[in-house]
Every structure is written in structure tokens, then in C-alpha cells.
Amino acid sequence: MEVRQHAGVLEISEIDPFLAELLRQVPESTKAEGVEAAERRLFSLPAETKETELCAEWKVYVEPELRRLFQTATETVVADLEPLNGNSKPFANCTLRIPLAHAEAWLNALNQARLVIASKYGFTESELCDHYRSPIGSRRDLSLFQVNFYGFLQEFILQETHGGSSDSTSKGEQ
Amino acid sequence: MDAPFLAATESPVIEQETRSREKLDLPWQVVVHNDPVNLMTYVTMVFQKVFGFSREKAEKHMLEVHRDGRSIVWSGLRERAELYVQQLHGYLLLATLERTY
């Protein structure tokens, strides 16, 4: 996999079919509905529970705005992923192009997905630091790999958008 | 003729508003809590964006969160503190408002 920034676009090329499938799963993975731990994490309390009035007002006025923000970010990602769905050669490597203006939306959606998956499986800090565990084994291992792959993409996007480089190329280990 | 007089005695409502105003003016702090999922580089970037911190200051607070489990990133009036917490939640950081009194 190769990442390159050029003319206002972040280009991730040579994405193999397995990683492309994980990318297609980003929008679906942001859905916290039905998973209480994930809902609690995405919409965490703004203060200790004893601040009942503040917490209640937050739920009514702020939470809907946050939901809209997260939804908008996910919709941007869905649109950017569209070219990946029309691949005529299913086993060919593919390229994803993210306009730099969408970088924030990608960081947000990837973070939503990572938090939801981590909440679903209750990953520990040491598991999350285990970048060498094989994704083959169980659904849990695959999900851990997914969380780490999305984190890897976040690092790339951050490096390209906030790392100070204008035109650059970097190679990933995934 | 009684009605205007009675209306004037209903002013204690204003007293309640004054107390609320005082509460809003007391200092609150914005605390960011540790979260094993959020990347350290991401947290640093968020601090820079939301608070306008320099990279060094943002990294100092990020490391404090990582090492101590929490960091007080801002303190001041409640209204502004609420806005900061809302922004931090928008970036999916674990952040809360705390009274300093």
C-alpha cells in the first residue's frame, strides 16, 4: 500500500482486496445502534452524573448536534468510497482518492468506527497495542486488526495533513 | 386595584436568575480523560485545533492524559467550558466539565 499527497488529494494506491473490503466497512462500522457500550462511548456524559441538570440539557441540545456531525462525516466517507464499489476486477488492487478537504471527515469516521468496534469487543489497552496479531483466527482478531488498520490510516492522514509536508509519498506496512 | 401590587411582589423570580448567573460565572475546568483507542497524534492535533495550543503545549497535555489518566486543559466561565467540551466530543475525545469550587 502506498500513500501519496498530490494537488490537494490524498491518494492511497495498491490497496489489496482484503484491505479494500475493510475500507468499505468503515461506514457500517460507525453504527453504534443497539450496542449500549458503543453508544455510551460516542455520546459520553459531559460531567459527573451528579450534575443532573447539565447532563439532561446536554442530551436534549448537544447530542443531536453531535449525531448530525458524525452522520455528515460518515456520508462524506461513503461518497469517497464509491469508486471502490465499481471495481470490475474483484481481485485487483485498487486506489482510493481522498480530497484533503475531506481529511477531517475521514479522521472522524475512522475514529467513530474504531471506538464502536473497540467498545463492542471490549479490547484492552495491551490488545490495542498488539499490532502483530494475525487477523486470521477469530472474529475478535479480525476486528482488532480492523481497529489497528483504521488507526494506521488515521496516522497517515494526520501525517499528510498536519505533519508539515506538502507533496510526499510514504509506504505502509499493512 | 390589587393586581398591579401583587405583580410587583412576584419579583423573587429575578433573584433566582441572579443566582444562576452567579453560578455560571464561577470557574469551571475542562478535563480530558485517557482513552486507549484515540491515537496520541490525533489527541495532540485536536488540542491544537480546539485550544490553539502550540505543538509542544498540546503534546504536554496529551502526555499528561496518557500518563496520569487526565489533564485539565482549560478553566474559566461555564458557557465557554461547555463549548470546549462540545467541540472535544465532536472529535470523540473523552472530556468533562468540572467545578473548581
Side-chain angles (χ1 to χ4, degrees):
Chain A
M1 202 169 82
E2 196 171 303
V3 179
R4 177 172 180 261
Q5 188 205 134
H6 180 67
V9 174
L10 199 59
E11 194 176 87
I12 307 169
S13 55
E14 297 299 320
I15 306 170
D16 70 43
F18 172 63
L19 295 182
E21 181 50 36
L22 290 188
L23 280 173
R24 283 187 207 101
Q25 286 179 19
V26 172
E28 191 62 29
S29 305
T30 63
K31 290 181 182 163
E33 292 86 358
V35 186
E36 205 186 315
E39 272 276 329
R40 270 204 313 269
R41 178 56 192 87
L42 290 194
F43 305 100
S44 58
L45 290 175
E48 289 179 357
T49 44
K50 66 181 180 188
E51 301 284 358
T52 48
E53 197 185 323
L54 172 60
C55 292
E57 282 180 1
W58 194 268
K59 215 153 186 60
V60 174
Y61 300 109
V62 179
E63 206 179 289
E65 276 190 48
L66 291 172
R67 282 186 193 278
R68 271 194 294 276
L69 175 76
F70 298 160
Q71 181 62 31
T72 306
T74 306
E75 282 166 7
T76 302
V77 167
V78 168
D80 288 344
L81 284 170
E82 194 55 43
L84 258 59
N85 296 328
N87 201 335
S88 54
K89 297 174 189 165
F91 297 108
N93 285 356
C94 54
T95 298
L96 173 68
R97 289 180 184 86
I98 302 171
L100 279 178
H102 295 178
E104 282 242 352
W106 270 86
L107 287 172
N108 192 297
L110 288 168
N111 225 21
Q112 288 180 60
R114 297 179 75 235
L115 288 165
V116 168
I117 299 167
S119 300
K120 270 184 192 170
Y121 289 92
F123 292 132
T124 62
E125 192 153 4
S126 62
E127 278 180 305
L128 290 163
C129 293
D130 182 3
H131 299 277
Y132 297 101
R133 192 189 290 200
S134 166
I136 304 157
S138 65
R139 178 67 227 187
R140 187 183 171 83
D141 288 343
L142 177 61
S143 297
L144 181 61
F145 182 85
Q146 197 175 3
V147 168
N148 285 330
F149 174 56
Y150 292 167
F152 177 78
L153 276 178
Q154 281 188 304
E155 289 280 12
F156 264 136
I157 296 170
L158 282 168
Q159 177 61 35
E160 295 301 321
T161 55
H162 297 87
S165 59
S166 52
D167 271 359
S168 62
T169 303
S170 31
K171 276 192 188 284
E173 291 171 8
Q174 294 284 346
Chain B
M1 288 300 286
D2 283 341
F5 184 72
L6 279 174
T9 57
E10 282 172 9
S11 57
V13 174
I14 295 166
E15 250 180 60
Q16 277 183 340
E17 280 178 13
T18 307
R19 278 203 295 273
S20 303
R21 187 71 246 167
E22 279 170 3
K23 266 187 184 175
L24 286 172
D25 288 347
L26 287 167
W28 288 65
Q29 55 197 22
V30 175
V31 182
V32 175
H33 305 266
N34 190 35
D35 177 337
V37 180
N38 279 320
L39 302 173
M40 292 163 99
T41 44
Y42 179 75
V43 175
T44 303
M45 181 276 288
V46 173
F47 287 168
Q48 286 181 274
K49 284 214 158 196
V50 173
F51 300 104
F53 288 170
S54 64
R55 196 181 195 104
E56 291 70 31
K57 190 172 178 183
E59 279 176 351
K60 180 189 152 274
H61 281 286
M62 176 276 292
L63 287 171
E64 204 169 73
V65 173
H66 183 67
R67 195 186 52 232
D68 304 337
R70 54 182 265 144
S71 176
I72 298 164
V73 287
W74 191 85
S75 61
L77 299 183
R78 174 174 158 174
E79 234 168 84
R80 188 88 184 269
E82 277 183 22
L83 188 67
Y84 280 138
V85 171
Q86 182 175 348
Q87 283 180 273
L88 293 168
H89 281 203
Y91 283 104
L92 294 146
L93 261 54
L94 272 179
T96 53
L97 280 162
E98 286 181 6
R99 292 169 196 265
T100 56
Y101 55 95

PDB file of all heavy atoms in Angstrom, chain A residues 62-97:
ATOM      1  N   VAL A  62     -27.262  19.106  22.884  1.00  0.00           N
ATOM      2  CA  VAL A  62     -25.946  18.891  22.255  1.00  0.00           C
ATOM      3  C   VAL A  62     -25.868  17.553  21.505  1.00  0.00           C
ATOM      4  O   VAL A  62     -25.346  17.482  20.392  1.00  0.00           O
ATOM      5  CB  VAL A  62     -24.810  18.988  23.303  1.00  0.00           C
ATOM      6  CG1 VAL A  62     -23.454  18.746  22.652  1.00  0.00           C
ATOM      7  CG2 VAL A  62     -24.830  20.342  23.994  1.00  0.00           C
ATOM      8  N   GLU A  63     -26.417  16.509  22.114  1.00  0.00           N
ATOM      9  CA  GLU A  63     -26.301  15.181  21.493  1.00  0.00           C
ATOM     10  C   GLU A  63     -26.847  15.125  20.062  1.00  0.00           C
ATOM     11  O   GLU A  63     -26.180  14.561  19.184  1.00  0.00           O
ATOM     12  CB  GLU A  63     -26.977  14.130  22.384  1.00  0.00           C
ATOM     13  CG  GLU A  63     -26.393  12.757  22.164  1.00  0.00           C
ATOM     14  CD  GLU A  63     -27.035  11.708  23.043  1.00  0.00           C
ATOM     15  OE1 GLU A  63     -26.785  11.726  24.261  1.00  0.00           O
ATOM     16  OE2 GLU A  63     -27.793  10.882  22.510  1.00  0.00           O
ATOM     17  N   PRO A  64     -28.007  15.734  19.783  1.00  0.00           N
ATOM     18  CA  PRO A  64     -28.481  15.703  18.389  1.00  0.00           C
ATOM     19  C   PRO A  64     -27.508  16.365  17.415  1.00  0.00           C
ATOM     20  O   PRO A  64     -27.322  15.899  16.291  1.00  0.00           O
ATOM     21  CB  PRO A  64     -29.810  16.476  18.447  1.00  0.00           C
ATOM     22  CG  PRO A  64     -30.247  16.376  19.866  1.00  0.00           C
ATOM     23  CD  PRO A  64     -28.995  16.369  20.671  1.00  0.00           C
ATOM     24  N   GLU A  65     -26.851  17.439  17.880  1.00  0.00           N
ATOM     25  CA  GLU A  65     -25.862  18.112  17.017  1.00  0.00           C
ATOM     26  C   GLU A  65     -24.668  17.200  16.752  1.00  0.00           C
ATOM     27  O   GLU A  65     -24.147  17.151  15.646  1.00  0.00           O
ATOM     28  CB  GLU A  65     -25.370  19.396  17.693  1.00  0.00           C
ATOM     29  CG  GLU A  65     -26.284  20.576  17.462  1.00  0.00           C
ATOM     30  CD  GLU A  65     -25.662  21.875  17.926  1.00  0.00           C
ATOM     31  OE1 GLU A  65     -24.505  22.138  17.589  1.00  0.00           O
ATOM     32  OE2 GLU A  65     -26.353  22.620  18.651  1.00  0.00           O
ATOM     33  N   LEU A  66     -24.239  16.485  17.789  1.00  0.00           N
ATOM     34  CA  LEU A  66     -23.115  15.562  17.623  1.00  0.00           C
ATOM     35  C   LEU A  66     -23.502  14.440  16.656  1.00  0.00           C
ATOM     36  O   LEU A  66     -22.713  14.043  15.796  1.00  0.00           O
ATOM     37  CB  LEU A  66     -22.687  14.976  18.978  1.00  0.00           C
ATOM     38  CG  LEU A  66     -22.034  15.964  19.950  1.00  0.00           C
ATOM     39  CD1 LEU A  66     -21.831  15.323  21.319  1.00  0.00           C
ATOM     40  CD2 LEU A  66     -20.691  16.471  19.424  1.00  0.00           C
ATOM     41  N   ARG A  67     -24.731  13.942  16.790  1.00  0.00           N
ATOM     42  CA  ARG A  67     -25.202  12.887  15.872  1.00  0.00           C
ATOM     43  C   ARG A  67     -25.148  13.374  14.423  1.00  0.00           C
ATOM     44  O   ARG A  67     -24.726  12.649  13.528  1.00  0.00           O
ATOM     45  CB  ARG A  67     -26.633  12.461  16.225  1.00  0.00           C
ATOM     46  CG  ARG A  67     -26.703  11.541  17.410  1.00  0.00           C
ATOM     47  CD  ARG A  67     -28.101  10.998  17.661  1.00  0.00           C
ATOM     48  NE  ARG A  67     -28.150  10.379  18.972  1.00  0.00           N
ATOM     49  CZ  ARG A  67     -27.742   9.140  19.234  1.00  0.00           C
ATOM     50  NH1 ARG A  67     -27.305   8.380  18.252  1.00  0.00           N
ATOM     51  NH2 ARG A  67     -27.780   8.663  20.461  1.00  0.00           N
ATOM     52  N   ARG A  68     -25.579  14.617  14.221  1.00  0.00           N
ATOM     53  CA  ARG A  68     -25.563  15.173  12.860  1.00  0.00           C
ATOM     54  C   ARG A  68     -24.121  15.300  12.345  1.00  0.00           C
ATOM     55  O   ARG A  68     -23.838  14.967  11.198  1.00  0.00           O
ATOM     56  CB  ARG A  68     -26.238  16.557  12.848  1.00  0.00           C
ATOM     57  CG  ARG A  68     -27.751  16.484  12.611  1.00  0.00           C
ATOM     58  CD  ARG A  68     -28.310  17.848  12.265  1.00  0.00           C
ATOM     59  NE  ARG A  68     -28.205  18.781  13.376  1.00  0.00           N
ATOM     60  CZ  ARG A  68     -29.096  18.867  14.365  1.00  0.00           C
ATOM     61  NH1 ARG A  68     -30.144  18.070  14.389  1.00  0.00           N
ATOM     62  NH2 ARG A  68     -28.941  19.730  15.353  1.00  0.00           N
ATOM     63  N   LEU A  69     -23.232  15.759  13.219  1.00  0.00           N
ATOM     64  CA  LEU A  69     -21.826  15.913  12.843  1.00  0.00           C
ATOM     65  C   LEU A  69     -21.223  14.570  12.419  1.00  0.00           C
ATOM     66  O   LEU A  69     -20.561  14.461  11.380  1.00  0.00           O
ATOM     67  CB  LEU A  69     -21.039  16.495  14.033  1.00  0.00           C
ATOM     68  CG  LEU A  69     -19.532  16.628  13.881  1.00  0.00           C
ATOM     69  CD1 LEU A  69     -19.193  17.821  12.989  1.00  0.00           C
ATOM     70  CD2 LEU A  69     -18.862  16.806  15.240  1.00  0.00           C
ATOM     71  N   PHE A  70     -21.474  13.535  13.223  1.00  0.00           N
ATOM     72  CA  PHE A  70     -20.915  12.205  12.941  1.00  0.00           C
ATOM     73  C   PHE A  70     -21.521  11.638  11.647  1.00  0.00           C
ATOM     74  O   PHE A  70     -20.838  11.021  10.842  1.00  0.00           O
ATOM     75  CB  PHE A  70     -21.161  11.241  14.110  1.00  0.00           C
ATOM     76  CG  PHE A  70     -20.513  11.668  15.406  1.00  0.00           C
ATOM     77  CD1 PHE A  70     -20.958  11.164  16.634  1.00  0.00           C
ATOM     78  CD2 PHE A  70     -19.458  12.565  15.419  1.00  0.00           C
ATOM     79  CE1 PHE A  70     -20.369  11.555  17.833  1.00  0.00           C
ATOM     80  CE2 PHE A  70     -18.855  12.967  16.615  1.00  0.00           C
ATOM     81  CZ  PHE A  70     -19.323  12.459  17.828  1.00  0.00           C
ATOM     82  N   GLN A  71     -22.817  11.884  11.464  1.00  0.00           N
ATOM     83  CA  GLN A  71     -23.511  11.394  10.273  1.00  0.00           C
ATOM     84  C   GLN A  71     -22.953  12.052   9.008  1.00  0.00           C
ATOM     85  O   GLN A  71     -22.697  11.384   8.009  1.00  0.00           O
ATOM     86  CB  GLN A  71     -25.024  11.675  10.411  1.00  0.00           C
ATOM     87  CG  GLN A  71     -25.869  11.187   9.248  1.00  0.00           C
ATOM     88  CD  GLN A  71     -25.806   9.667   9.063  1.00  0.00           C
ATOM     89  OE1 GLN A  71     -25.640   8.931  10.039  1.00  0.00           O
ATOM     90  NE2 GLN A  71     -25.907   9.218   7.824  1.00  0.00           N
ATOM     91  N   THR A  72     -22.726  13.361   9.084  1.00  0.00           N
ATOM     92  CA  THR A  72     -22.177  14.095   7.937  1.00  0.00           C
ATOM     93  C   THR A  72     -20.791  13.566   7.569  1.00  0.00           C
ATOM     94  O   THR A  72     -20.481  13.370   6.384  1.00  0.00           O
ATOM     95  CB  THR A  72     -22.094  15.612   8.262  1.00  0.00           C
ATOM     96  OG1 THR A  72     -23.387  16.041   8.672  1.00  0.00           O
ATOM     97  CG2 THR A  72     -21.659  16.434   7.073  1.00  0.00           C
ATOM     98  N   ALA A  73     -19.966  13.319   8.580  1.00  0.00           N
ATOM     99  CA  ALA A  73     -18.616  12.787   8.330  1.00  0.00           C
ATOM    100  C   ALA A  73     -18.715  11.425   7.642  1.00  0.00           C
ATOM    101  O   ALA A  73     -18.015  11.155   6.656  1.00  0.00           O
ATOM    102  CB  ALA A  73     -17.851  12.675   9.639  1.00  0.00           C
ATOM    103  N   THR A  74     -19.618  10.583   8.122  1.00  0.00           N
ATOM    104  CA  THR A  74     -19.774   9.243   7.540  1.00  0.00           C
ATOM    105  C   THR A  74     -20.270   9.333   6.096  1.00  0.00           C
ATOM    106  O   THR A  74     -19.806   8.584   5.231  1.00  0.00           O
ATOM    107  CB  THR A  74     -20.745   8.403   8.399  1.00  0.00           C
ATOM    108  OG1 THR A  74     -20.262   8.412   9.749  1.00  0.00           O
ATOM    109  CG2 THR A  74     -20.820   6.966   7.924  1.00  0.00           C
ATOM    110  N   GLU A  75     -21.176  10.262   5.837  1.00  0.00           N
ATOM    111  CA  GLU A  75     -21.688  10.413   4.466  1.00  0.00           C
ATOM    112  C   GLU A  75     -20.579  10.841   3.502  1.00  0.00           C
ATOM    113  O   GLU A  75     -20.543  10.392   2.352  1.00  0.00           O
ATOM    114  CB  GLU A  75     -22.830  11.441   4.450  1.00  0.00           C
ATOM    115  CG  GLU A  75     -24.134  10.861   4.970  1.00  0.00           C
ATOM    116  CD  GLU A  75     -25.187  11.922   5.282  1.00  0.00           C
ATOM    117  OE1 GLU A  75     -24.969  13.109   4.984  1.00  0.00           O
ATOM    118  OE2 GLU A  75     -26.224  11.542   5.846  1.00  0.00           O
ATOM    119  N   THR A  76     -19.678  11.690   3.963  1.00  0.00           N
ATOM    120  CA  THR A  76     -18.534  12.107   3.124  1.00  0.00           C
ATOM    121  C   THR A  76     -17.677  10.900   2.776  1.00  0.00           C
ATOM    122  O   THR A  76     -17.245  10.726   1.632  1.00  0.00           O
ATOM    123  CB  THR A  76     -17.695  13.165   3.879  1.00  0.00           C
ATOM    124  OG1 THR A  76     -18.538  14.263   4.193  1.00  0.00           O
ATOM    125  CG2 THR A  76     -16.510  13.639   3.065  1.00  0.00           C
ATOM    126  N   VAL A  77     -17.448  10.048   3.790  1.00  0.00           N
ATOM    127  CA  VAL A  77     -16.634   8.847   3.578  1.00  0.00           C
ATOM    128  C   VAL A  77     -17.331   7.892   2.597  1.00  0.00           C
ATOM    129  O   VAL A  77     -16.692   7.329   1.699  1.00  0.00           O
ATOM    130  CB  VAL A  77     -16.345   8.164   4.941  1.00  0.00           C
ATOM    131  CG1 VAL A  77     -15.778   6.768   4.748  1.00  0.00           C
ATOM    132  CG2 VAL A  77     -15.385   9.022   5.748  1.00  0.00           C
ATOM    133  N   VAL A  78     -18.636   7.737   2.740  1.00  0.00           N
ATOM    134  CA  VAL A  78     -19.402   6.870   1.827  1.00  0.00           C
ATOM    135  C   VAL A  78     -19.198   7.342   0.384  1.00  0.00           C
ATOM    136  O   VAL A  78     -18.937   6.536  -0.512  1.00  0.00           O
ATOM    137  CB  VAL A  78     -20.910   6.876   2.192  1.00  0.00           C
ATOM    138  CG1 VAL A  78     -21.747   6.226   1.097  1.00  0.00           C
ATOM    139  CG2 VAL A  78     -21.136   6.153   3.521  1.00  0.00           C
ATOM    140  N   ALA A  79     -19.288   8.655   0.166  1.00  0.00           N
ATOM    141  CA  ALA A  79     -19.127   9.204  -1.189  1.00  0.00           C
ATOM    142  C   ALA A  79     -17.711   8.950  -1.714  1.00  0.00           C
ATOM    143  O   ALA A  79     -17.540   8.572  -2.880  1.00  0.00           O
ATOM    144  CB  ALA A  79     -19.430  10.700  -1.175  1.00  0.00           C
ATOM    145  N   ASP A  80     -16.690   9.123  -0.873  1.00  0.00           N
ATOM    146  CA  ASP A  80     -15.305   8.909  -1.308  1.00  0.00           C
ATOM    147  C   ASP A  80     -15.032   7.428  -1.601  1.00  0.00           C
ATOM    148  O   ASP A  80     -14.157   7.095  -2.402  1.00  0.00           O
ATOM    149  CB  ASP A  80     -14.314   9.407  -0.238  1.00  0.00           C
ATOM    150  CG  ASP A  80     -14.261  10.924  -0.167  1.00  0.00           C
ATOM    151  OD1 ASP A  80     -14.733  11.581  -1.125  1.00  0.00           O
ATOM    152  OD2 ASP A  80     -13.764  11.459   0.842  1.00  0.00           O
ATOM    153  N   LEU A  81     -15.770   6.544  -0.918  1.00  0.00           N
ATOM    154  CA  LEU A  81     -15.549   5.102  -1.112  1.00  0.00           C
ATOM    155  C   LEU A  81     -16.253   4.563  -2.352  1.00  0.00           C
ATOM    156  O   LEU A  81     -15.985   3.434  -2.768  1.00  0.00           O
ATOM    157  CB  LEU A  81     -16.046   4.328   0.123  1.00  0.00           C
ATOM    158  CG  LEU A  81     -15.160   4.366   1.365  1.00  0.00           C
ATOM    159  CD1 LEU A  81     -15.891   3.778   2.552  1.00  0.00           C
ATOM    160  CD2 LEU A  81     -13.850   3.611   1.131  1.00  0.00           C
ATOM    161  N   GLU A  82     -17.129   5.361  -2.922  1.00  0.00           N
ATOM    162  CA  GLU A  82     -17.946   4.910  -4.063  1.00  0.00           C
ATOM    163  C   GLU A  82     -17.108   4.278  -5.182  1.00  0.00           C
ATOM    164  O   GLU A  82     -17.465   3.195  -5.666  1.00  0.00           O
ATOM    165  CB  GLU A  82     -18.789   6.093  -4.578  1.00  0.00           C
ATOM    166  CG  GLU A  82     -19.909   5.714  -5.514  1.00  0.00           C
ATOM    167  CD  GLU A  82     -20.864   4.672  -4.937  1.00  0.00           C
ATOM    168  OE1 GLU A  82     -21.237   4.780  -3.754  1.00  0.00           O
ATOM    169  OE2 GLU A  82     -21.203   3.742  -5.690  1.00  0.00           O
ATOM    170  N   PRO A  83     -15.978   4.892  -5.602  1.00  0.00           N
ATOM    171  CA  PRO A  83     -15.181   4.274  -6.687  1.00  0.00           C
ATOM    172  C   PRO A  83     -14.699   2.851  -6.362  1.00  0.00           C
ATOM    173  O   PRO A  83     -14.467   2.062  -7.267  1.00  0.00           O
ATOM    174  CB  PRO A  83     -13.991   5.222  -6.831  1.00  0.00           C
ATOM    175  CG  PRO A  83     -14.460   6.512  -6.275  1.00  0.00           C
ATOM    176  CD  PRO A  83     -15.400   6.163  -5.171  1.00  0.00           C
ATOM    177  N   LEU A  84     -14.564   2.544  -5.090  1.00  0.00           N
ATOM    178  CA  LEU A  84     -14.112   1.207  -4.702  1.00  0.00           C
ATOM    179  C   LEU A  84     -15.186   0.145  -4.944  1.00  0.00           C
ATOM    180  O   LEU A  84     -14.889  -1.050  -5.043  1.00  0.00           O
ATOM    181  CB  LEU A  84     -13.729   1.182  -3.210  1.00  0.00           C
ATOM    182  CG  LEU A  84     -12.239   1.224  -2.868  1.00  0.00           C
ATOM    183  CD1 LEU A  84     -11.584   2.463  -3.420  1.00  0.00           C
ATOM    184  CD2 LEU A  84     -12.043   1.154  -1.355  1.00  0.00           C
ATOM    185  N   ASN A  85     -16.420   0.567  -5.031  1.00  0.00           N
ATOM    186  CA  ASN A  85     -17.515  -0.395  -5.219  1.00  0.00           C
ATOM    187  C   ASN A  85     -17.671  -0.828  -6.674  1.00  0.00           C
ATOM    188  O   ASN A  85     -18.243  -1.863  -6.949  1.00  0.00           O
ATOM    189  CB  ASN A  85     -18.840   0.211  -4.737  1.00  0.00           C
ATOM    190  CG  ASN A  85     -18.799   0.485  -3.250  1.00  0.00           C
ATOM    191  OD1 ASN A  85     -18.139  -0.232  -2.500  1.00  0.00           O
ATOM    192  ND2 ASN A  85     -19.490   1.524  -2.824  1.00  0.00           N
ATOM    193  N   GLY A  86     -17.136  -0.009  -7.594  1.00  0.00           N
ATOM    194  CA  GLY A  86     -17.343  -0.339  -9.011  1.00  0.00           C
ATOM    195  C   GLY A  86     -16.164  -1.037  -9.643  1.00  0.00           C
ATOM    196  O   GLY A  86     -15.986  -0.959 -10.852  1.00  0.00           O
ATOM    197  N   ASN A  87     -15.343  -1.721  -8.844  1.00  0.00           N
ATOM    198  CA  ASN A  87     -14.165  -2.386  -9.402  1.00  0.00           C
ATOM    199  C   ASN A  87     -14.576  -3.582 -10.273  1.00  0.00           C
ATOM    200  O   ASN A  87     -15.172  -4.532  -9.781  1.00  0.00           O
ATOM    201  CB  ASN A  87     -13.257  -2.848  -8.256  1.00  0.00           C
ATOM    202  CG  ASN A  87     -11.831  -3.066  -8.729  1.00  0.00           C
ATOM    203  OD1 ASN A  87     -11.618  -3.327  -9.911  1.00  0.00           O
ATOM    204  ND2 ASN A  87     -10.890  -2.953  -7.818  1.00  0.00           N
ATOM    205  N   SER A  88     -14.239  -3.499 -11.563  1.00  0.00           N
ATOM    206  CA  SER A  88     -14.650  -4.581 -12.461  1.00  0.00           C
ATOM    207  C   SER A  88     -13.834  -5.855 -12.239  1.00  0.00           C
ATOM    208  O   SER A  88     -14.300  -6.959 -12.512  1.00  0.00           O
ATOM    209  CB  SER A  88     -14.543  -4.117 -13.911  1.00  0.00           C
ATOM    210  OG  SER A  88     -13.242  -3.627 -14.133  1.00  0.00           O
ATOM    211  N   LYS A  89     -12.590  -5.685 -11.753  1.00  0.00           N
ATOM    212  CA  LYS A  89     -11.768  -6.873 -11.460  1.00  0.00           C
ATOM    213  C   LYS A  89     -11.751  -7.046  -9.945  1.00  0.00           C
ATOM    214  O   LYS A  89     -11.034  -6.339  -9.239  1.00  0.00           O
ATOM    215  CB  LYS A  89     -10.343  -6.663 -11.973  1.00  0.00           C
ATOM    216  CG  LYS A  89     -10.261  -6.506 -13.487  1.00  0.00           C
ATOM    217  CD  LYS A  89      -8.824  -6.145 -13.870  1.00  0.00           C
ATOM    218  CE  LYS A  89      -8.754  -5.772 -15.336  1.00  0.00           C
ATOM    219  NZ  LYS A  89      -7.497  -5.090 -15.660  1.00  0.00           N
ATOM    220  N   PRO A  90     -12.540  -7.979  -9.430  1.00  0.00           N
ATOM    221  CA  PRO A  90     -12.702  -8.082  -7.978  1.00  0.00           C
ATOM    222  C   PRO A  90     -11.429  -8.376  -7.186  1.00  0.00           C
ATOM    223  O   PRO A  90     -11.340  -8.062  -6.012  1.00  0.00           O
ATOM    224  CB  PRO A  90     -13.737  -9.199  -7.826  1.00  0.00           C
ATOM    225  CG  PRO A  90     -13.790  -9.905  -9.109  1.00  0.00           C
ATOM    226  CD  PRO A  90     -13.358  -8.957 -10.164  1.00  0.00           C
ATOM    227  N   PHE A  91     -10.442  -9.020  -7.822  1.00  0.00           N
ATOM    228  CA  PHE A  91      -9.234  -9.368  -7.051  1.00  0.00           C
ATOM    229  C   PHE A  91      -8.045  -8.450  -7.361  1.00  0.00           C
ATOM    230  O   PHE A  91      -6.927  -8.718  -6.949  1.00  0.00           O
ATOM    231  CB  PHE A  91      -8.862 -10.837  -7.276  1.00  0.00           C
ATOM    232  CG  PHE A  91      -9.937 -11.759  -6.776  1.00  0.00           C
ATOM    233  CD1 PHE A  91     -10.740 -12.456  -7.665  1.00  0.00           C
ATOM    234  CD2 PHE A  91     -10.181 -11.886  -5.418  1.00  0.00           C
ATOM    235  CE1 PHE A  91     -11.761 -13.281  -7.203  1.00  0.00           C
ATOM    236  CE2 PHE A  91     -11.199 -12.708  -4.952  1.00  0.00           C
ATOM    237  CZ  PHE A  91     -11.994 -13.404  -5.846  1.00  0.00           C
ATOM    238  N   ALA A  92      -8.317  -7.367  -8.078  1.00  0.00           N
ATOM    239  CA  ALA A  92      -7.235  -6.437  -8.408  1.00  0.00           C
ATOM    240  C   ALA A  92      -7.036  -5.435  -7.271  1.00  0.00           C
ATOM    241  O   ALA A  92      -7.970  -5.149  -6.509  1.00  0.00           O
ATOM    242  CB  ALA A  92      -7.588  -5.691  -9.681  1.00  0.00           C
ATOM    243  N   ASN A  93      -5.800  -4.948  -7.134  1.00  0.00           N
ATOM    244  CA  ASN A  93      -5.555  -3.883  -6.164  1.00  0.00           C
ATOM    245  C   ASN A  93      -6.251  -2.613  -6.627  1.00  0.00           C
ATOM    246  O   ASN A  93      -6.461  -2.424  -7.820  1.00  0.00           O
ATOM    247  CB  ASN A  93      -4.049  -3.631  -6.034  1.00  0.00           C
ATOM    248  CG  ASN A  93      -3.364  -4.731  -5.246  1.00  0.00           C
ATOM    249  OD1 ASN A  93      -4.025  -5.637  -4.729  1.00  0.00           O
ATOM    250  ND2 ASN A  93      -2.057  -4.665  -5.161  1.00  0.00           N
ATOM    251  N   CYS A  94      -6.600  -1.757  -5.703  1.00  0.00           N
ATOM    252  CA  CYS A  94      -7.316  -0.542  -6.114  1.00  0.00           C
ATOM    253  C   CYS A  94      -6.721   0.706  -5.448  1.00  0.00           C
ATOM    254  O   CYS A  94      -5.835   0.613  -4.592  1.00  0.00           O
ATOM    255  CB  CYS A  94      -8.806  -0.670  -5.819  1.00  0.00           C
ATOM    256  SG  CYS A  94      -9.155  -1.088  -4.138  1.00  0.00           S
ATOM    257  N   THR A  95      -7.240   1.836  -5.855  1.00  0.00           N
ATOM    258  CA  THR A  95      -6.739   3.126  -5.356  1.00  0.00           C
ATOM    259  C   THR A  95      -7.893   3.936  -4.777  1.00  0.00           C
ATOM    260  O   THR A  95      -8.983   3.960  -5.343  1.00  0.00           O
ATOM    261  CB  THR A  95      -6.092   3.915  -6.522  1.00  0.00           C
ATOM    262  OG1 THR A  95      -4.992   3.149  -7.008  1.00  0.00           O
ATOM    263  CG2 THR A  95      -5.591   5.275  -6.066  1.00  0.00           C
ATOM    264  N   LEU A  96      -7.626   4.547  -3.651  1.00  0.00           N
ATOM    265  CA  LEU A  96      -8.632   5.408  -3.016  1.00  0.00           C
ATOM    266  C   LEU A  96      -8.112   6.839  -3.041  1.00  0.00           C
ATOM    267  O   LEU A  96      -6.961   7.087  -2.676  1.00  0.00           O
ATOM    268  CB  LEU A  96      -8.857   4.951  -1.568  1.00  0.00           C
ATOM    269  CG  LEU A  96      -9.752   5.838  -0.697  1.00  0.00           C
ATOM    270  CD1 LEU A  96     -11.193   5.805  -1.184  1.00  0.00           C
ATOM    271  CD2 LEU A  96      -9.691   5.388   0.761  1.00  0.00           C
ATOM    272  N   ARG A  97      -8.965   7.751  -3.467  1.00  0.00           N
ATOM    273  CA  ARG A  97      -8.568   9.171  -3.503  1.00  0.00           C
ATOM    274  C   ARG A  97      -9.436   9.960  -2.530  1.00  0.00           C
ATOM    275  O   ARG A  97     -10.659   9.959  -2.646  1.00  0.00           O
ATOM    276  CB  ARG A  97      -8.692   9.722  -4.920  1.00  0.00           C
ATOM    277  CG  ARG A  97      -7.639   9.171  -5.844  1.00  0.00           C
ATOM    278  CD  ARG A  97      -7.721   9.680  -7.258  1.00  0.00           C
ATOM    279  NE  ARG A  97      -6.704   9.008  -8.069  1.00  0.00           N
ATOM    280  CZ  ARG A  97      -6.899   7.821  -8.667  1.00  0.00           C
ATOM    281  NH1 ARG A  97      -8.053   7.196  -8.535  1.00  0.00           N
ATOM    282  NH2 ARG A  97      -5.925   7.258  -9.358  1.00  0.00           N
TER     283      ARG A  97
END
